[in-house]
Amino acid sequence: EESLQYYLKALSLLHNTLGEEHVQAALTYSNLGNLYITMKQYDKALEYLIKAETIHLRLPESIDNAHNYLNFGIVYSRKKEYDKAIASFKKSGEIIDRIYGKDHWRVADSKNNIGTIYYYKGDFSNALKYFLEVMPIYRQHLGMHHNRTAIAFHNIADTYYQLKDYEQAIRWNQKSLAVLIPDFSDTNGTSNPAFSFCISNQMLMPVLDLKIQICMGQAELSSHSLDALKLAHETSTLSIAWIDRIRTEFKTEESKLIHGETAKTFYKY
């Protein structure tokens, strides 16, 4: 509420000094839209994003316009208007492409957003197409041990899981584990890491959880169902051990809430 009042006062000042069509007014409109997104007031967010877009379209193309379309995409995805979300993320990516080049990691962010929307729509083939395009850009420009690279591997694994291609799902999920855990490089799906130190990265939770789900899926279809169930149990045990270690080694209330308690809820422990 305090931030909202600040932006509204700033907007009034800008209108009086620079005029309603100045680029700074567009940035303030966009910031107000983003603020209303965090407040979950999506119709109000759209109102200000549209005002920002109207100004941006009369100005030379800029990264600020791309960010505004990104916010449009977020609003439409929250409202479950998925086709509009895809169109907005594509516009954002096209602008970033023209400014930074097609292999920039921000272009990959746009592709990842589009893939995520297709995933939400249940169009897993199109989701997989975009996730596979994202992965090499993150890996090349951000490095193998960047969180975005881990997310890219995980998204590919999750999509293969939804397509019931468990062999590919486990392979890509192991890649995500290898990114998140520096002392683990084995991409063999039957192995699990032994933590040499406490890993605080919250991304580890969905990666381990997905591995359990993949194993359960394999158990339903495979003649080696007992092996798959054993691996699911081993991964569950590892997950619980990781949660307990977080609780022990991270002392602040914030870390306990974010890591320990969130993990406990995630794993139904």
Side-chain angles (χ1 to χ4, degrees):
E1 188 67 33
E2 185 177 342
S3 297
L4 177 60
Q5 294 306 314
Y6 169 81
Y7 280 125
L8 289 173
K9 287 180 181 178
L11 184 63
S12 177
L13 181 62
L14 283 169
H15 284 173
N16 292 332
T17 56
L18 300 176
E20 296 185 8
E21 303 301 316
H22 195 274
V23 63
Q24 289 299 324
L27 293 176
T28 304
Y29 283 136
S30 189
N31 287 334
L32 278 163
N34 190 49
L35 183 60
Y36 276 114
I37 290 172
T38 64
M39 296 169 67
K40 300 182 179 180
Q41 296 185 33
Y42 302 124
D43 290 335
K44 198 70 177 176
L46 280 176
E47 176 186 329
Y48 282 100
L49 294 177
I50 290 169
K51 289 181 178 180
E53 180 189 28
T54 302
I55 298 173
H56 280 306
L57 289 176
R58 291 197 288 266
L59 298 170
E61 195 168 69
S62 72
I63 196 64
D64 295 321
N65 198 12
H67 290 160
N68 200 58
Y69 282 123
L70 171 65
N71 285 333
F72 269 117
I74 293 170
V75 170
Y76 286 129
S77 66
R78 300 277 175 83
K79 289 167 67 69
K80 301 187 186 304
E81 296 181 32
Y82 293 137
D83 290 339
K84 289 182 179 180
I86 289 171
S88 298
F89 288 138
K90 283 183 176 179
K91 286 181 180 179
S92 178
E94 288 165 359
I95 294 170
I96 295 169
D97 184 342
R98 288 192 288 270
I99 293 173
Y100 292 122
K102 65 180 181 179
D103 291 328
H104 195 276
W105 62 266
R106 289 187 178 180
V107 175
D109 278 353
S110 295
K111 289 177 180 288
N112 187 70
N113 289 333
I114 294 168
T116 299
I117 298 302
Y118 277 120
Y119 181 96
Y120 290 158
K121 290 180 68 175
D123 186 348
F124 300 119
S125 294
N126 265 319
L128 184 61
K129 170 182 174 289
Y130 278 95
F131 290 147
L132 287 169
E133 290 178 6
V134 164
M135 179 270 299
I137 300 175
Y138 283 157
R139 187 170 59 183
Q140 179 179 350
H141 294 282
L142 299 179
M144 271 301 296
H145 291 286
H146 195 280
N147 228 41
R148 276 182 168 85
T149 306
I151 290 169
F153 286 141
H154 173 71
N155 286 343
I156 293 169
D158 194 6
T159 308
Y160 273 123
Y161 168 74
Q162 298 297 336
L163 291 167
K164 299 188 185 301
D165 188 340
Y166 300 128
E167 183 177 346
Q168 287 288 352
I170 200 77
R171 184 170 75 88
W172 286 96
N173 203 58
Q174 288 294 98
K175 290 178 181 290
S176 189
L177 273 177
V179 172
L180 294 170
I181 302 172
D183 61 350
F184 180 68
S185 60
D186 189 354
T187 55
N188 181 350
T190 62
S191 65
N192 269 319
F195 298 134
S196 59
F197 54 89
C198 191
I199 306 293
S200 61
N201 195 326
Q202 197 174 352
M203 183 64 202
L204 195 58
M205 287 188 290
V207 173
L208 289 174
D209 181 67
L210 178 58
K211 185 170 183 178
I212 295 167
Q213 294 180 58
I214 294 168
C215 291
M216 297 302 291
Q218 286 178 319
E220 292 181 6
L221 300 178
S222 172
S223 58
H224 303 288
S225 59
L226 184 58
D227 291 337
L229 289 171
K230 284 181 178 178
L231 184 57
H233 179 265
E234 177 189 316
T235 307
S236 298
T237 302
L238 179 67
S239 303
I240 293 169
W242 178 71
I243 294 167
D244 288 338
R245 194 165 179 180
I246 287 288
R247 288 171 174 164
T248 301
E249 298 194 16
F250 286 80
K251 302 298 184 182
T252 68
E253 289 303 315
E254 182 181 9
S255 67
K256 287 179 182 178
L257 176 65
I258 292 174
H259 297 297
E261 296 309 311
T262 303
K264 181 182 72 174
T265 302
F266 195 92
Y267 286 116
K268 312 291 191 299
Y269 171 57

